[in-house]
Amino acid sequence: MVAAGVLGSATFSTLIDPTTWNLGLIPFALTLATVVAATVSLWPVAIPQPTGRALVDTWVDSVRGAEELEDYLLEMKAVEIEFRDVSNQRRARATKAGFVLLIAALSTALIVAALTAMIEGGNNEQEQRAPAPTRSTTESRTPGTASNLPIRSS
C-alpha cells in the first residue's frame, strides 16, 4: 500500500502534464486500483460468533447435557473456521490482484515516462534545428522615440 502511494504521488506529480496527461492517467488509475485492492485485502471483517457471555448465559442453567454443549461448541467452531477460510480466500485474491495492479502501474509509469521523454526530446530537437529568429539590423525607427535615444549611464 505504501508503494502504491509513492507511485501514485510520483505519477501524479511528474507524468501528468499538459502534453501527455492522457497517458499519465493510465498508471495513476492503476495505482488507485492498487490502493482499492489493498484496502479490500486489509479490511477487518467481524466473524459472527456468540460471545463468551452469551454462551454462559445460554448454557449455565440449561437442562441439556454436556454432550449437547460439546456438539454445539464443535458446530460453532466449524462455522467459524469455514467463515475464516472464505474470508482468507477473499483476502488472498485481493492481495494477489493488488500486486498485479502494482506491477502494472509501475510498468505503465515507466513506459509513460519513456514516451514522455521521447516526445519532449523530439520537440527539443525540432526547436534546436529551426533557426532562431534574428533581429534585423535595419529596423525603421521614428526619430525622437525612446528606442532611438542614446542611453546615458549615471
Side-chain angles (χ1 to χ4, degrees), residues 8-81:
S9 65
T11 300
F12 195 75
S13 66
T14 59
L15 295 182
I16 298 179
D17 63 10
T19 57
T20 59
W21 66 270
N22 50 356
L23 289 176
L25 287 179
I26 296 169
F28 187 69
L30 288 170
T31 302
L32 288 179
T34 301
V35 171
V36 169
T39 303
V40 167
S41 71
L42 296 175
W43 198 263
V45 177
I47 297 175
Q49 291 295 313
T51 63
R53 177 52 47 198
L55 285 173
V56 168
D57 290 346
T58 303
W59 289 94
V60 77
D61 293 327
S62 176
V63 291
R64 295 179 274 184
E67 289 180 14
E68 287 183 56
L69 175 59
E70 286 178 11
D71 290 345
Y72 177 78
L73 291 174
L74 285 173
E75 184 62 33
M76 295 307 304
K77 203 53 146 162
V79 169
E80 178 184 351
I81 290 170

Short mmCIF file of all heavy atoms in Angstrom, two decimals, residues 8-81:
data_model
loop_
_atom_site.label_atom_id
_atom_site.label_comp_id
_atom_site.label_asym_id
_atom_site.label_seq_id
_atom_site.Cartn_x
_atom_site.Cartn_y
_atom_site.Cartn_z
N GLY A 8 1.76 6.58 -6.80
CA GLY A 8 0.68 7.50 -7.15
C GLY A 8 1.11 8.95 -7.09
O GLY A 8 0.82 9.74 -8.00
N SER A 9 1.85 9.31 -6.04
CA SER A 9 2.29 10.70 -5.95
C SER A 9 3.32 11.02 -7.02
O SER A 9 3.32 12.10 -7.60
CB SER A 9 2.85 11.00 -4.56
OG SER A 9 4.01 10.24 -4.33
N ALA A 10 4.20 10.08 -7.31
CA ALA A 10 5.20 10.31 -8.37
C ALA A 10 4.53 10.40 -9.73
O ALA A 10 4.88 11.25 -10.55
CB ALA A 10 6.23 9.19 -8.37
N THR A 11 3.56 9.54 -9.97
CA THR A 11 2.85 9.55 -11.24
C THR A 11 2.09 10.85 -11.41
O THR A 11 2.16 11.48 -12.45
CB THR A 11 1.87 8.36 -11.31
OG1 THR A 11 2.60 7.16 -11.20
CG2 THR A 11 1.09 8.36 -12.61
N PHE A 12 1.38 11.23 -10.37
CA PHE A 12 0.54 12.43 -10.50
C PHE A 12 1.37 13.69 -10.65
O PHE A 12 1.04 14.57 -11.42
CB PHE A 12 -0.39 12.55 -9.29
CG PHE A 12 -1.50 13.53 -9.52
CD1 PHE A 12 -2.56 13.20 -10.34
CD2 PHE A 12 -1.48 14.77 -8.93
CE1 PHE A 12 -3.58 14.09 -10.56
CE2 PHE A 12 -2.50 15.68 -9.15
CZ PHE A 12 -3.56 15.34 -9.97
N SER A 13 2.49 13.76 -9.94
CA SER A 13 3.27 14.99 -9.98
C SER A 13 4.20 15.09 -11.18
O SER A 13 4.54 16.18 -11.60
CB SER A 13 4.07 15.15 -8.68
OG SER A 13 5.04 14.13 -8.60
N THR A 14 4.62 13.96 -11.74
CA THR A 14 5.60 14.04 -12.82
C THR A 14 5.09 13.59 -14.18
O THR A 14 5.57 14.07 -15.20
CB THR A 14 6.85 13.21 -12.49
OG1 THR A 14 6.46 11.85 -12.29
CG2 THR A 14 7.55 13.74 -11.26
N LEU A 15 4.16 12.66 -14.22
CA LEU A 15 3.75 12.13 -15.51
C LEU A 15 2.50 12.78 -16.08
O LEU A 15 2.20 12.62 -17.25
CB LEU A 15 3.51 10.61 -15.41
CG LEU A 15 4.75 9.78 -15.12
CD1 LEU A 15 4.39 8.31 -15.10
CD2 LEU A 15 5.85 10.04 -16.12
N ILE A 16 1.75 13.47 -15.25
CA ILE A 16 0.55 14.12 -15.75
C ILE A 16 0.90 15.59 -15.99
O ILE A 16 1.01 16.38 -15.07
CB ILE A 16 -0.62 13.97 -14.77
CG1 ILE A 16 -0.95 12.49 -14.63
CG2 ILE A 16 -1.83 14.74 -15.25
CD1 ILE A 16 -2.06 12.17 -13.68
N ASP A 17 1.14 15.90 -17.26
CA ASP A 17 1.45 17.27 -17.64
C ASP A 17 0.60 17.63 -18.86
O ASP A 17 -0.09 16.78 -19.41
CB ASP A 17 2.95 17.45 -17.90
CG ASP A 17 3.48 16.60 -19.05
OD1 ASP A 17 2.67 16.02 -19.78
OD2 ASP A 17 4.69 16.55 -19.23
N PRO A 18 0.61 18.87 -19.30
CA PRO A 18 -0.27 19.28 -20.39
C PRO A 18 -0.07 18.51 -21.69
O PRO A 18 -1.03 18.34 -22.45
CB PRO A 18 0.08 20.77 -20.59
CG PRO A 18 0.61 21.20 -19.28
CD PRO A 18 1.31 20.01 -18.71
N THR A 19 1.12 18.02 -21.98
CA THR A 19 1.33 17.35 -23.26
C THR A 19 0.95 15.88 -23.22
O THR A 19 0.47 15.35 -24.21
CB THR A 19 2.80 17.47 -23.71
OG1 THR A 19 3.63 16.93 -22.69
CG2 THR A 19 3.16 18.91 -23.99
N THR A 20 1.16 15.21 -22.10
CA THR A 20 0.91 13.77 -22.05
C THR A 20 -0.04 13.40 -20.90
O THR A 20 0.08 12.32 -20.33
CB THR A 20 2.22 13.00 -21.87
OG1 THR A 20 2.84 13.44 -20.66
CG2 THR A 20 3.14 13.18 -23.05
N TRP A 21 -0.99 14.25 -20.59
CA TRP A 21 -1.86 14.00 -19.45
C TRP A 21 -2.68 12.73 -19.63
O TRP A 21 -2.90 11.99 -18.68
CB TRP A 21 -2.78 15.19 -19.19
CG TRP A 21 -3.78 15.41 -20.29
CD1 TRP A 21 -3.61 16.20 -21.38
CD2 TRP A 21 -5.06 14.82 -20.41
NE1 TRP A 21 -4.72 16.13 -22.17
CE2 TRP A 21 -5.63 15.30 -21.60
CE3 TRP A 21 -5.80 13.94 -19.63
CZ2 TRP A 21 -6.90 14.92 -22.03
CZ3 TRP A 21 -7.06 13.57 -20.06
CH2 TRP A 21 -7.60 14.06 -21.24
N ASN A 22 -3.10 12.43 -20.87
CA ASN A 22 -3.92 11.25 -21.07
C ASN A 22 -3.12 9.96 -20.85
O ASN A 22 -3.64 8.99 -20.34
CB ASN A 22 -4.57 11.25 -22.45
CG ASN A 22 -3.58 11.52 -23.57
OD1 ASN A 22 -2.41 11.78 -23.33
ND2 ASN A 22 -4.06 11.46 -24.79
N LEU A 23 -1.86 9.95 -21.22
CA LEU A 23 -1.02 8.78 -20.96
C LEU A 23 -0.71 8.66 -19.47
O LEU A 23 -0.65 7.56 -18.93
CB LEU A 23 0.29 8.87 -21.74
CG LEU A 23 0.20 8.69 -23.25
CD1 LEU A 23 1.57 8.91 -23.88
CD2 LEU A 23 -0.33 7.33 -23.59
N GLY A 24 -0.52 9.76 -18.81
CA GLY A 24 -0.19 9.75 -17.38
C GLY A 24 -1.34 9.28 -16.51
O GLY A 24 -1.13 8.83 -15.39
N LEU A 25 -2.56 9.36 -17.04
CA LEU A 25 -3.70 8.90 -16.25
C LEU A 25 -3.76 7.37 -16.15
O LEU A 25 -4.33 6.83 -15.22
CB LEU A 25 -5.01 9.43 -16.86
CG LEU A 25 -5.26 10.92 -16.65
CD1 LEU A 25 -6.56 11.32 -17.33
CD2 LEU A 25 -5.30 11.27 -15.18
N ILE A 26 -3.15 6.67 -17.10
CA ILE A 26 -3.19 5.20 -17.08
C ILE A 26 -2.48 4.65 -15.84
O ILE A 26 -3.09 3.91 -15.06
CB ILE A 26 -2.60 4.62 -18.38
CG1 ILE A 26 -3.47 5.03 -19.57
CG2 ILE A 26 -2.48 3.10 -18.30
CD1 ILE A 26 -2.84 4.74 -20.92
N PRO A 27 -1.21 4.98 -15.60
CA PRO A 27 -0.58 4.46 -14.38
C PRO A 27 -1.22 5.00 -13.11
O PRO A 27 -1.28 4.31 -12.09
CB PRO A 27 0.89 4.88 -14.49
CG PRO A 27 0.93 5.92 -15.51
CD PRO A 27 -0.25 5.72 -16.41
N PHE A 28 -1.75 6.22 -13.17
CA PHE A 28 -2.40 6.78 -11.99
C PHE A 28 -3.67 6.00 -11.66
O PHE A 28 -3.93 5.67 -10.50
CB PHE A 28 -2.72 8.26 -12.21
CG PHE A 28 -3.24 8.94 -10.98
CD1 PHE A 28 -2.40 9.16 -9.90
CD2 PHE A 28 -4.55 9.35 -10.90
CE1 PHE A 28 -2.88 9.76 -8.75
CE2 PHE A 28 -5.03 9.96 -9.76
CZ PHE A 28 -4.19 10.17 -8.68
N ALA A 29 -4.46 5.64 -12.68
CA ALA A 29 -5.67 4.85 -12.46
C ALA A 29 -5.33 3.46 -11.94
O ALA A 29 -6.01 2.94 -11.03
CB ALA A 29 -6.47 4.76 -13.75
N LEU A 30 -4.29 2.86 -12.48
CA LEU A 30 -3.86 1.55 -11.99
C LEU A 30 -3.38 1.63 -10.54
O LEU A 30 -3.60 0.71 -9.75
CB LEU A 30 -2.76 0.98 -12.88
CG LEU A 30 -3.21 0.49 -14.26
CD1 LEU A 30 -2.01 0.20 -15.14
CD2 LEU A 30 -4.10 -0.72 -14.14
N THR A 31 -2.75 2.72 -10.19
CA THR A 31 -2.29 2.91 -8.81
C THR A 31 -3.48 3.04 -7.87
O THR A 31 -3.48 2.47 -6.78
CB THR A 31 -1.39 4.15 -8.71
OG1 THR A 31 -0.29 3.98 -9.61
CG2 THR A 31 -0.88 4.36 -7.31
N LEU A 32 -4.50 3.78 -8.29
CA LEU A 32 -5.71 3.88 -7.47
C LEU A 32 -6.38 2.52 -7.30
O LEU A 32 -6.86 2.18 -6.22
CB LEU A 32 -6.68 4.89 -8.07
CG LEU A 32 -6.28 6.35 -7.97
CD1 LEU A 32 -7.32 7.23 -8.65
CD2 LEU A 32 -6.11 6.76 -6.52
N ALA A 33 -6.41 1.73 -8.37
CA ALA A 33 -6.97 0.38 -8.28
C ALA A 33 -6.16 -0.48 -7.31
O ALA A 33 -6.71 -1.31 -6.58
CB ALA A 33 -7.03 -0.26 -9.66
N THR A 34 -4.84 -0.27 -7.28
CA THR A 34 -3.98 -0.99 -6.34
C THR A 34 -4.34 -0.64 -4.91
O THR A 34 -4.41 -1.52 -4.04
CB THR A 34 -2.49 -0.64 -6.61
OG1 THR A 34 -2.17 -0.99 -7.94
CG2 THR A 34 -1.57 -1.36 -5.64
N VAL A 35 -4.58 0.62 -4.65
CA VAL A 35 -4.95 1.06 -3.31
C VAL A 35 -6.29 0.44 -2.90
O VAL A 35 -6.46 -0.01 -1.76
CB VAL A 35 -4.98 2.60 -3.23
CG1 VAL A 35 -5.58 3.07 -1.93
CG2 VAL A 35 -3.59 3.17 -3.42
N VAL A 36 -7.23 0.39 -3.83
CA VAL A 36 -8.53 -0.23 -3.54
C VAL A 36 -8.36 -1.71 -3.21
O VAL A 36 -8.92 -2.22 -2.23
CB VAL A 36 -9.51 -0.02 -4.72
CG1 VAL A 36 -10.77 -0.86 -4.55
CG2 VAL A 36 -9.88 1.45 -4.85
N ALA A 37 -7.57 -2.43 -4.01
CA ALA A 37 -7.34 -3.85 -3.76
C ALA A 37 -6.65 -4.07 -2.41
O ALA A 37 -7.00 -4.99 -1.66
CB ALA A 37 -6.51 -4.46 -4.88
N ALA A 38 -5.69 -3.21 -2.08
CA ALA A 38 -5.00 -3.33 -0.80
C ALA A 38 -5.96 -3.06 0.36
O ALA A 38 -5.91 -3.73 1.39
CB ALA A 38 -3.82 -2.37 -0.74
N THR A 39 -6.85 -2.10 0.18
CA THR A 39 -7.84 -1.80 1.22
C THR A 39 -8.79 -2.97 1.42
O THR A 39 -9.10 -3.33 2.56
CB THR A 39 -8.61 -0.52 0.84
OG1 THR A 39 -7.69 0.55 0.66
CG2 THR A 39 -9.61 -0.15 1.91
N VAL A 40 -9.23 -3.58 0.32
CA VAL A 40 -10.12 -4.74 0.43
C VAL A 40 -9.41 -5.88 1.15
O VAL A 40 -10.00 -6.56 2.00
CB VAL A 40 -10.60 -5.18 -0.97
CG1 VAL A 40 -11.25 -6.55 -0.94
CG2 VAL A 40 -11.56 -4.16 -1.55
N SER A 41 -8.14 -6.09 0.83
CA SER A 41 -7.43 -7.21 1.45
C SER A 41 -7.15 -6.97 2.93
O SER A 41 -7.02 -7.93 3.70
CB SER A 41 -6.11 -7.49 0.72
OG SER A 41 -5.18 -6.46 0.97
N LEU A 42 -7.08 -5.73 3.35
CA LEU A 42 -6.78 -5.43 4.76
C LEU A 42 -8.00 -5.07 5.60
O LEU A 42 -7.88 -4.87 6.80
CB LEU A 42 -5.77 -4.28 4.83
CG LEU A 42 -4.40 -4.57 4.25
CD1 LEU A 42 -3.55 -3.31 4.27
CD2 LEU A 42 -3.71 -5.69 5.01
N TRP A 43 -9.17 -4.96 4.95
CA TRP A 43 -10.36 -4.52 5.67
C TRP A 43 -10.75 -5.56 6.73
O TRP A 43 -10.90 -6.73 6.41
CB TRP A 43 -11.52 -4.32 4.70
CG TRP A 43 -12.60 -3.49 5.29
CD1 TRP A 43 -13.74 -3.93 5.89
CD2 TRP A 43 -12.65 -2.07 5.36
NE1 TRP A 43 -14.49 -2.88 6.32
CE2 TRP A 43 -13.84 -1.72 6.01
CE3 TRP A 43 -11.79 -1.06 4.94
CZ2 TRP A 43 -14.20 -0.41 6.23
CZ3 TRP A 43 -12.15 0.25 5.17
CH2 TRP A 43 -13.34 0.56 5.80
N PRO A 44 -10.93 -5.15 7.97
CA PRO A 44 -11.29 -6.11 9.01
C PRO A 44 -12.73 -6.59 8.84
O PRO A 44 -13.62 -5.83 8.46
CB PRO A 44 -11.13 -5.32 10.31
CG PRO A 44 -11.20 -3.89 9.91
CD PRO A 44 -10.74 -3.81 8.49
N VAL A 45 -12.93 -7.88 9.10
CA VAL A 45 -14.25 -8.48 8.97
C VAL A 45 -14.60 -9.15 10.29
O VAL A 45 -13.80 -9.92 10.83
CB VAL A 45 -14.27 -9.52 7.83
CG1 VAL A 45 -15.62 -10.20 7.72
CG2 VAL A 45 -13.89 -8.87 6.53
N ALA A 46 -15.78 -8.85 10.80
CA ALA A 46 -16.23 -9.47 12.05
C ALA A 46 -16.75 -10.88 11.75
O ALA A 46 -17.43 -11.11 10.76
CB ALA A 46 -17.33 -8.63 12.68
N ILE A 47 -16.40 -11.79 12.63
CA ILE A 47 -16.87 -13.17 12.48
C ILE A 47 -18.11 -13.33 13.36
O ILE A 47 -18.06 -13.08 14.57
CB ILE A 47 -15.76 -14.16 12.90
CG1 ILE A 47 -14.57 -13.99 11.96
CG2 ILE A 47 -16.28 -15.58 12.88
CD1 ILE A 47 -13.37 -14.82 12.34
N PRO A 48 -19.20 -13.74 12.74
CA PRO A 48 -20.45 -13.84 13.52
C PRO A 48 -20.44 -15.06 14.46
O PRO A 48 -20.85 -16.15 14.08
CB PRO A 48 -21.52 -13.98 12.44
CG PRO A 48 -20.83 -14.57 11.26
CD PRO A 48 -19.41 -14.09 11.34
N GLN A 49 -19.96 -14.87 15.66
CA GLN A 49 -19.90 -15.92 16.66
C GLN A 49 -20.47 -15.38 17.97
O GLN A 49 -20.34 -14.19 18.26
CB GLN A 49 -18.44 -16.36 16.89
CG GLN A 49 -17.83 -17.10 15.73
CD GLN A 49 -18.52 -18.43 15.50
OE1 GLN A 49 -18.77 -19.20 16.41
NE2 GLN A 49 -18.85 -18.70 14.25
N PRO A 50 -21.07 -16.27 18.75
CA PRO A 50 -21.58 -15.80 20.05
C PRO A 50 -20.41 -15.46 20.98
O PRO A 50 -19.35 -16.07 20.90
CB PRO A 50 -22.39 -17.00 20.57
CG PRO A 50 -21.85 -18.18 19.86
CD PRO A 50 -21.35 -17.67 18.52
N THR A 51 -20.63 -14.48 21.81
CA THR A 51 -19.60 -14.10 22.77
C THR A 51 -19.56 -15.10 23.92
O THR A 51 -20.48 -15.92 24.09
CB THR A 51 -19.89 -12.70 23.34
OG1 THR A 51 -21.13 -12.76 24.05
CG2 THR A 51 -19.95 -11.65 22.24
N GLY A 52 -18.50 -15.03 24.69
CA GLY A 52 -18.39 -15.91 25.87
C GLY A 52 -19.53 -15.72 26.82
O GLY A 52 -20.07 -16.68 27.39
N ARG A 53 -19.94 -14.47 27.03
CA ARG A 53 -21.04 -14.18 27.95
C ARG A 53 -22.34 -14.80 27.44
O ARG A 53 -23.13 -15.36 28.22
CB ARG A 53 -21.20 -12.67 28.10
CG ARG A 53 -22.33 -12.20 28.96
CD ARG A 53 -22.46 -12.79 30.36
NE ARG A 53 -21.24 -12.83 31.11
CZ ARG A 53 -21.04 -13.62 32.19
NH1 ARG A 53 -21.98 -14.42 32.61
NH2 ARG A 53 -19.92 -13.60 32.82
N ALA A 54 -22.58 -14.73 26.13
CA ALA A 54 -23.81 -15.32 25.56
C ALA A 54 -23.83 -16.83 25.74
O ALA A 54 -24.88 -17.42 26.04
CB ALA A 54 -23.93 -14.95 24.09
N LEU A 55 -22.66 -17.47 25.59
CA LEU A 55 -22.59 -18.92 25.80
C LEU A 55 -22.90 -19.29 27.25
O LEU A 55 -23.65 -20.23 27.53
CB LEU A 55 -21.21 -19.45 25.42
CG LEU A 55 -20.91 -19.56 23.93
CD1 LEU A 55 -19.44 -19.93 23.72
CD2 LEU A 55 -21.81 -20.59 23.28
N VAL A 56 -22.32 -18.54 28.18
CA VAL A 56 -22.56 -18.82 29.60
C VAL A 56 -24.02 -18.62 29.93
O VAL A 56 -24.65 -19.46 30.60
CB VAL A 56 -21.66 -17.92 30.47
CG1 VAL A 56 -22.08 -17.98 31.95
CG2 VAL A 56 -20.21 -18.32 30.32
N ASP A 57 -24.59 -17.51 29.47
CA ASP A 57 -26.00 -17.23 29.77
C ASP A 57 -26.93 -18.30 29.21
O ASP A 57 -27.93 -18.65 29.82
CB ASP A 57 -26.40 -15.86 29.23
CG ASP A 57 -25.74 -14.71 29.98
OD1 ASP A 57 -25.19 -14.96 31.08
OD2 ASP A 57 -25.74 -13.58 29.44
N THR A 58 -26.57 -18.83 28.04
CA THR A 58 -27.41 -19.84 27.40
C THR A 58 -27.27 -21.21 28.07
O THR A 58 -28.25 -21.92 28.27
CB THR A 58 -27.06 -19.97 25.90
OG1 THR A 58 -27.21 -18.70 25.30
CG2 THR A 58 -27.94 -20.98 25.21
N TRP A 59 -26.06 -21.57 28.44
CA TRP A 59 -25.80 -22.94 28.88
C TRP A 59 -25.67 -23.14 30.38
O TRP A 59 -25.74 -24.27 30.87
CB TRP A 59 -24.54 -23.47 28.19
CG TRP A 59 -24.79 -23.70 26.73
CD1 TRP A 59 -24.55 -22.84 25.72
CD2 TRP A 59 -25.35 -24.86 26.13
NE1 TRP A 59 -24.92 -23.38 24.52
CE2 TRP A 59 -25.41 -24.64 24.74
CE3 TRP A 59 -25.81 -26.08 26.63
CZ2 TRP A 59 -25.92 -25.57 23.85
CZ3 TRP A 59 -26.30 -27.03 25.74
CH2 TRP A 59 -26.35 -26.76 24.37
N VAL A 60 -25.48 -22.13 31.18
CA VAL A 60 -25.22 -22.32 32.61
C VAL A 60 -26.43 -22.93 33.33
O VAL A 60 -26.27 -23.79 34.18
CB VAL A 60 -24.75 -21.01 33.29
CG1 VAL A 60 -25.89 -20.05 33.54
CG2 VAL A 60 -24.01 -21.32 34.58
N ASP A 61 -27.61 -22.50 32.99
CA ASP A 61 -28.81 -23.01 33.66
C ASP A 61 -29.59 -23.97 32.76
O ASP A 61 -30.76 -24.25 33.02
CB ASP A 61 -29.72 -21.85 34.08
CG ASP A 61 -29.08 -20.99 35.17
OD1 ASP A 61 -28.33 -21.56 35.99
OD2 ASP A 61 -29.33 -19.77 35.19
N SER A 62 -28.94 -24.46 31.72
CA SER A 62 -29.62 -25.33 30.76
C SER A 62 -29.78 -26.73 31.34
O SER A 62 -28.93 -27.24 32.08
CB SER A 62 -28.82 -25.39 29.47
OG SER A 62 -29.40 -26.29 28.57
N VAL A 63 -30.87 -27.38 30.96
CA VAL A 63 -31.11 -28.75 31.39
C VAL A 63 -30.50 -29.74 30.39
O VAL A 63 -30.51 -30.94 30.63
CB VAL A 63 -32.63 -29.02 31.55
CG1 VAL A 63 -33.17 -28.24 32.73
CG2 VAL A 63 -33.39 -28.73 30.30
N ARG A 64 -29.97 -29.20 29.30
CA ARG A 64 -29.34 -30.07 28.30
C ARG A 64 -28.03 -30.59 28.86
O ARG A 64 -27.36 -29.94 29.65
CB ARG A 64 -29.12 -29.30 26.99
CG ARG A 64 -30.46 -28.90 26.35
CD ARG A 64 -30.25 -28.12 25.10
NE ARG A 64 -30.08 -26.71 25.49
CZ ARG A 64 -29.94 -25.72 24.63
NH1 ARG A 64 -29.92 -25.96 23.35
NH2 ARG A 64 -29.81 -24.49 25.05
N GLY A 65 -27.62 -31.71 28.36
CA GLY A 65 -26.44 -32.38 28.88
C GLY A 65 -25.14 -31.84 28.29
O GLY A 65 -25.10 -31.01 27.38
N ALA A 66 -24.05 -32.36 28.82
CA ALA A 66 -22.71 -31.94 28.40
C ALA A 66 -22.43 -32.33 26.95
O ALA A 66 -21.72 -31.62 26.24
CB ALA A 66 -21.67 -32.57 29.32
N GLU A 67 -23.00 -33.44 26.51
CA GLU A 67 -22.80 -33.85 25.11
C GLU A 67 -23.39 -32.84 24.14
O GLU A 67 -22.79 -32.54 23.11
CB GLU A 67 -23.40 -35.24 24.88
CG GLU A 67 -22.62 -36.35 25.54
CD GLU A 67 -23.26 -37.71 25.30
OE1 GLU A 67 -24.13 -37.84 24.43
OE2 GLU A 67 -22.86 -38.65 26.00
N GLU A 68 -24.56 -32.32 24.47
CA GLU A 68 -25.19 -31.31 23.60
C GLU A 68 -24.35 -30.03 23.57
O GLU A 68 -24.22 -29.39 22.53
CB GLU A 68 -26.61 -31.00 24.08
CG GLU A 68 -27.60 -32.12 23.80
CD GLU A 68 -29.00 -31.73 24.23
OE1 GLU A 68 -29.50 -30.68 23.77
OE2 GLU A 68 -29.58 -32.48 25.03
N LEU A 69 -23.80 -29.66 24.72
CA LEU A 69 -22.92 -28.48 24.77
C LEU A 69 -21.68 -28.70 23.91
O LEU A 69 -21.28 -27.80 23.15
CB LEU A 69 -22.52 -28.17 26.21
CG LEU A 69 -21.50 -27.04 26.40
CD1 LEU A 69 -22.02 -25.73 25.83
CD2 LEU A 69 -21.13 -26.90 27.86
N GLU A 70 -21.08 -29.88 24.01
CA GLU A 70 -19.91 -30.18 23.18
C GLU A 70 -20.25 -30.14 21.70
O GLU A 70 -19.49 -29.58 20.89
CB GLU A 70 -19.33 -31.54 23.55
CG GLU A 70 -18.60 -31.56 24.86
CD GLU A 70 -18.09 -32.94 25.22
OE1 GLU A 70 -18.11 -33.84 24.35
OE2 GLU A 70 -17.65 -33.11 26.36
N ASP A 71 -21.40 -30.71 21.33
CA ASP A 71 -21.84 -30.67 19.93
C ASP A 71 -22.05 -29.23 19.46
O ASP A 71 -21.65 -28.85 18.35
CB ASP A 71 -23.14 -31.47 19.74
CG ASP A 71 -22.94 -32.97 19.88
OD1 ASP A 71 -21.77 -33.41 19.83
OD2 ASP A 71 -23.95 -33.68 20.05
N TYR A 72 -22.66 -28.43 20.32
CA TYR A 72 -22.91 -27.02 19.98
C TYR A 72 -21.59 -26.27 19.79
O TYR A 72 -21.41 -25.53 18.82
CB TYR A 72 -23.75 -26.36 21.08
CG TYR A 72 -24.00 -24.89 20.83
CD1 TYR A 72 -24.95 -24.46 19.92
CD2 TYR A 72 -23.27 -23.92 21.52
CE1 TYR A 72 -25.17 -23.12 19.69
CE2 TYR A 72 -23.48 -22.57 21.30
CZ TYR A 72 -24.43 -22.18 20.38
OH TYR A 72 -24.64 -20.83 20.16
N LEU A 73 -20.65 -26.48 20.70
CA LEU A 73 -19.36 -25.80 20.60
C LEU A 73 -18.58 -26.24 19.37
O LEU A 73 -17.95 -25.42 18.69
CB LEU A 73 -18.53 -26.04 21.87
CG LEU A 73 -19.05 -25.36 23.14
CD1 LEU A 73 -18.22 -25.79 24.34
CD2 LEU A 73 -19.07 -23.86 22.99
N LEU A 74 -18.63 -27.53 19.05
CA LEU A 74 -17.97 -28.02 17.84
C LEU A 74 -18.59 -27.41 16.58
O LEU A 74 -17.88 -27.05 15.64
CB LEU A 74 -18.01 -29.55 17.78
CG LEU A 74 -17.05 -30.27 18.71
CD1 LEU A 74 -17.31 -31.77 18.67
CD2 LEU A 74 -15.61 -29.97 18.32
N GLU A 75 -19.91 -27.33 16.56
CA GLU A 75 -20.59 -26.74 15.40
C GLU A 75 -20.22 -25.25 15.25
O GLU A 75 -19.95 -24.78 14.14
CB GLU A 75 -22.10 -26.90 15.53
CG GLU A 75 -22.88 -26.40 14.35
CD GLU A 75 -22.57 -27.14 13.06
OE1 GLU A 75 -22.27 -28.35 13.09
OE2 GLU A 75 -22.61 -26.48 11.99
N MET A 76 -20.16 -24.54 16.36
CA MET A 76 -19.80 -23.12 16.32
C MET A 76 -18.35 -22.96 15.82
O MET A 76 -18.05 -22.07 15.03
CB MET A 76 -19.94 -22.46 17.71
CG MET A 76 -21.34 -22.39 18.23
SD MET A 76 -22.55 -21.64 17.12
CE MET A 76 -21.86 -20.08 16.80
N LYS A 77 -17.48 -23.85 16.27
CA LYS A 77 -16.08 -23.79 15.83
C LYS A 77 -15.98 -24.09 14.33
O LYS A 77 -15.21 -23.45 13.61
CB LYS A 77 -15.26 -24.79 16.65
CG LYS A 77 -13.81 -24.48 16.71
CD LYS A 77 -13.61 -23.08 17.17
CE LYS A 77 -12.40 -22.91 18.00
NZ LYS A 77 -12.01 -21.51 18.08
N ALA A 78 -16.75 -25.06 13.84
CA ALA A 78 -16.73 -25.40 12.41
C ALA A 78 -17.22 -24.22 11.58
O ALA A 78 -16.63 -23.89 10.53
CB ALA A 78 -17.60 -26.63 12.16
N VAL A 79 -18.27 -23.55 12.02
CA VAL A 79 -18.79 -22.38 11.29
C VAL A 79 -17.74 -21.27 11.28
O VAL A 79 -17.51 -20.62 10.25
CB VAL A 79 -20.11 -21.89 11.93
CG1 VAL A 79 -20.52 -20.55 11.38
CG2 VAL A 79 -21.21 -22.92 11.71
N GLU A 80 -17.08 -21.07 12.41
CA GLU A 80 -16.04 -20.03 12.49
C GLU A 80 -14.89 -20.33 11.54
O GLU A 80 -14.41 -19.45 10.82
CB GLU A 80 -15.52 -19.92 13.92
CG GLU A 80 -14.41 -18.91 14.08
CD GLU A 80 -13.84 -18.88 15.49
OE1 GLU A 80 -14.40 -19.51 16.39
OE2 GLU A 80 -12.80 -18.22 15.66
N ILE A 81 -14.45 -21.58 11.50
CA ILE A 81 -13.34 -21.96 10.61
C ILE A 81 -13.73 -21.79 9.15
O ILE A 81 -12.96 -21.27 8.35
CB ILE A 81 -12.88 -23.40 10.93
CG1 ILE A 81 -12.19 -23.42 12.29
CG2 ILE A 81 -11.94 -23.92 9.84
CD1 ILE A 81 -11.92 -24.83 12.81
#
